[in-house]
Amino acid sequence: MQVLAIVGAYLYPADFDMTSKPTATSFTFPHRHLLGIEGLSAEDITGLLDLSEEFVVLNREVEKKRATLRGRTQINLFFEASTRTQSSFELAGKRLGADVMNMSVSTSSVKKGETLIDTAATLNAMHPDVLIVRHSASGAVELLARKIDCSVVNAGDGAHEHPTQALLDALTIRRNKGRIEGLTVAICGDILHSRVARSNILLLHRLGAQVRVVGPSTLLPRDIDRFGVDVHRDMKSGLDGVDIVMMLRLQRERMNGSFVPSVKEYFHYWGLDEAKLRYAKPDALVMHPGPMNRGVEIDSAVADGAQSLIREQVEMGVAVRMAVLDALSRNLPNA
Ligand code: CP
């Protein structure tokens, strides 16, 4: 990773080339919601990544506030646990000047049996401008978007999509490799249950990368062929010559039954350690969306090592979510 330290600040290759990037005022995002990467064009994605670059710079300043969403109300509605996505959407909204409300689903009337649609209709009556939703059911966020008036952002729906994760991953890759087109990215582990894998495959293909999926047959979707990826069932061939190694968590909360013989065996064959990382290119970079299970899918020496981008992914998450909120806000009534 090419990083220069100048008076305590870190400058990445992307920091030097701001000339060709659109400013926050010149990008038009032609969508009311962000429900998935599917449905976004390469121009939509590149526009969001370019806009995110401005927020990377802003977020490293002492004064991080803009007034873009002043007067707007953002509700974060998370039916599943989250650390990174929920907190970064909260920070993103606040830094753009929105009033942000985190709805506590565990203490809400959902616990008394209120449905997703009734919950949404109730919140809709309070006139939010943007709703950030995570739900365990694939398609739940799109269903909700059809029922309410404000903009909706998918913060992860079942095993379907997690679009802002794919955007922040792409931003991280582009900043470190200077491009996405022509790179080879290996997505490894529990592909079957992963919305991160689906969104990343769609986005990386749209921007011209080659994608491999690597994992045991039990953790690959039966219809994997229709994803247009190269399929590898061992880490040696799967990581051979790749630019990016993206590890995934074993999503045990979505598993019915036994998908791996044991954690010890899984780590032996599929866990990324320093020896397996040597199959990739010498300058390969390691990513993980988090939360990580150290010693299950990734070894600490790799997760915390010089080739890891995992902390930078978290930083890019705030910038990408600011860009998404900023872009969607341009299509709000009275914008
Ligand atoms: N990557 C991701 O979605 O993390 P959280 O579950 O902590 O939000």
Side-chain angles (χ1 to χ4, degrees), residues 102-259:
N102 286 303
M103 168 103 180
S104 173
V105 171
S106 62
T107 55
S108 73
S109 289
V110 170
K111 290 289 165 200
K112 300 176 196 164
E114 191 161 52
T115 65
L116 170 69
I117 298 302
D118 284 339
T119 303
T122 301
L123 295 175
N124 196 41
M126 299 178 196
H127 301 292
D129 298 288
V130 59
L131 201 55
I132 316 295
V133 187
R134 171 171 285 189
H135 199 278
S136 59
S138 300
V141 181
E142 187 176 352
L143 176 70
L144 191 147
R146 282 197 234 125
K147 303 282 179 191
I148 60 174
D149 304 322
C150 67
S151 287
V152 174
V153 180
N154 183 358
D157 63 325
H160 176 227
E161 279 232 37
H162 191 350
T164 56
Q165 180 68 47
L167 287 164
L168 77 88
D169 290 341
L171 182 65
T172 309
I173 294 170
R174 198 179 73 165
R175 289 178 66 81
N176 284 275
K177 292 290 186 187
R179 66 196 163 99
I180 305 270
E181 191 172 5
L183 295 179
T184 304
V185 179
I187 305 178
C188 310
D190 184 359
I191 312 293
L192 178 66
H193 301 102
S194 178
R195 54 198 177 206
V196 174
R198 276 166 187 71
S199 290
N200 262 299
I201 290 168
L202 288 166
L203 187 152
L204 291 165
H205 278 159
R206 205 136 297 162
L207 294 193
Q210 290 198 318
V211 184
R212 297 179 189 174
V213 294
V214 189
S217 297
T218 50
L219 293 177
L220 295 172
R222 270 197 210 138
D223 59 348
I224 189 67
D225 290 342
R226 81 176 171 82
F227 288 74
V229 293
D230 297 322
V231 180
H232 293 258
R233 290 180 172 79
D234 71 90
M235 293 288 269
K236 190 165 193 278
S237 74
L239 299 195
D240 183 28
V242 302
D243 299 285
I244 301 287
V245 183
M246 191 180 286
M247 299 306 297
L248 298 175
R249 181 173 66 88
L250 275 185
Q251 309 227 342
R252 286 187 250 214
E253 71 275 20
R254 300 191 207 290
M255 294 182 184
N256 298 315
S258 179
F259 284 78

Side-chain angles (χ1 to χ4, degrees), residues 10-183:
Y10 290 101
L11 296 178
Y12 293 78
D15 291 320
F16 296 101
D17 176 24
M18 298 298 288
T19 48
S20 61
K21 294 175 173 57
T23 65
T25 51
S26 66
F27 167 55
T28 303
F29 188 66
H31 304 275
R32 184 170 157 224
H33 308 297
L34 177 62
L35 301 177
I37 297 299
E38 198 163 33
L40 297 189
S41 65
E43 291 70 32
D44 294 336
I45 294 166
T46 304
L48 286 171
L49 298 185
D50 292 344
L51 186 53
S52 302
E53 292 287 1
E54 295 185 21
F55 292 116
V56 174
V57 174
L58 181 72
N59 287 337
R60 291 178 181 179
E61 290 174 4
V62 175
E63 172 59 55
K64 300 174 177 63
K65 294 276 263 189
R66 286 224 178 132
T68 316
L69 296 184
R70 190 158 58 200
R72 302 291 188 182
T73 301
Q74 172 186 329
I75 299 180
N76 295 337
L77 181 59
F78 279 62
F79 291 87
E80 280 191 327
S82 170
T83 297
R84 281 146 284 268
T85 312
Q86 182 164 355
S87 57
S88 59
F89 265 118
E90 181 177 354
L91 273 181
K94 286 179 174 171
R95 286 181 184 174
L96 292 175
D99 295 314
V100 182
M101 195 261 275
N102 286 303
M103 168 103 180
S104 173
V105 171
S106 62
T107 55
S108 73
S109 289
V110 170
K111 290 289 165 200
K112 300 176 196 164
E114 191 161 52
T115 65
L116 170 69
I117 298 302
D118 284 339
T119 303
T122 301
L123 295 175
N124 196 41
M126 299 178 196
H127 301 292
D129 298 288
V130 59
L131 201 55
I132 316 295
V133 187
R134 171 171 285 189
H135 199 278
S136 59
S138 300
V141 181
E142 187 176 352
L143 176 70
L144 191 147
R146 282 197 234 125
K147 303 282 179 191
I148 60 174
D149 304 322
C150 67
S151 287
V152 174
V153 180
N154 183 358
D157 63 325
H160 176 227
E161 279 232 37
H162 191 350
T164 56
Q165 180 68 47
L167 287 164
L168 77 88
D169 290 341
L171 182 65
T172 309
I173 294 170
R174 198 179 73 165
R175 289 178 66 81
N176 284 275
K177 292 290 186 187
R179 66 196 163 99
I180 305 270
E181 191 172 5
L183 295 179

